[in-house]
Amino acid sequence: MTDDHDWDQIDASLIRMRRLLEIPRGATDDVDLSAVFVVDTIARRAKDGMSTRIADIAHHLSVKPSTASRLVRSTEAAGYIQRSISPDDPRSVVLHLTSTGEGLNTSARDFRTDILRKATIKWDANTIATFAGLLDEFSRAASASTADC
């Protein structure tokens, strides 16, 4: 049976990992963390061959559609994304990264990956693969369990 110490240790570990959610070094001062999240969402969906609408941003970031609209507006105003008419539905818009947005996404991903590589430098490939699978499973379960909060 898991005791309170274990849960406290997990909680403290997650708080320590906040560094992974910082703005990458070298980014301009006007980069907002929410822009990094919006850009990441669009890039990941594009990598999987999916287009991105504001509703997808809301769903992926677990925010209300009105909040997603505001985040998209500010990210667009900063020059990281642009809108275009959806080829599937002319009443809808899809979001795309600009070259500046692609640069932000690359630097943010490289920043996070560098931290992860340094933190796991003594781990073998099997340990990293096991950790990746368990962390993915945990994050999906945690995300699902907080959807009602």
Side-chain angles (χ1 to χ4, degrees):
M1 177 175 221
T2 307
D3 66 22
D4 287 343
H5 171 75
D6 293 329
W7 296 120
D8 187 54
Q9 185 177 13
I10 292 168
D11 182 55
S13 298
L14 292 171
I15 296 296
R16 277 193 303 274
M17 288 175 33
R18 75 189 182 285
R19 179 99 170 90
L20 290 169
L21 298 178
E22 292 182 4
I23 303 296
R25 283 182 222 103
T28 61
D29 290 338
D30 65 340
V31 174
D32 185 85
L33 187 57
S34 62
V36 174
F37 293 153
V38 169
V39 164
D40 179 74
T41 300
I42 295 168
R44 287 181 190 277
R45 290 178 59 84
K47 182 179 174 186
D48 291 338
M50 295 184 288
S51 61
T52 302
R53 294 176 174 80
I54 294 174
D56 299 316
I57 298 291
H59 177 75
H60 188 79
L61 299 181
S62 300
V63 298
K64 293 179 181 178
S66 60
T67 301
S69 291
R70 182 179 49 79
L71 296 176
V72 165
R73 274 194 310 276
S74 65
T75 305
E76 183 179 31
Y80 299 117
I81 63 173
Q82 60 189 15
R83 301 173 195 228
S84 66
I85 301 297
S86 170
D88 302 327
D89 180 359
R91 299 168 296 165
S92 182
V93 297
V94 291
L95 308 170
H96 304 278
L97 297 181
T98 62
S99 59
T100 305
E102 289 174 3
L104 174 62
N105 187 58
T106 298
S107 65
R109 187 185 60 244
D110 290 351
F111 174 76
R112 293 187 306 267
T113 303
D114 185 53
I115 291 171
L116 294 169
R117 287 181 191 279
K118 287 177 182 175
T120 60
I121 196 160
K122 294 182 181 180
W123 295 12
D124 63 33
N126 284 339
T127 302
I128 292 170
T130 299
F131 177 70
L134 288 171
L135 187 58
D136 183 64
E137 182 180 343
F138 169 77
S139 69
R140 289 176 190 278
S143 179
S145 69
T146 61
D148 297 329
C149 294

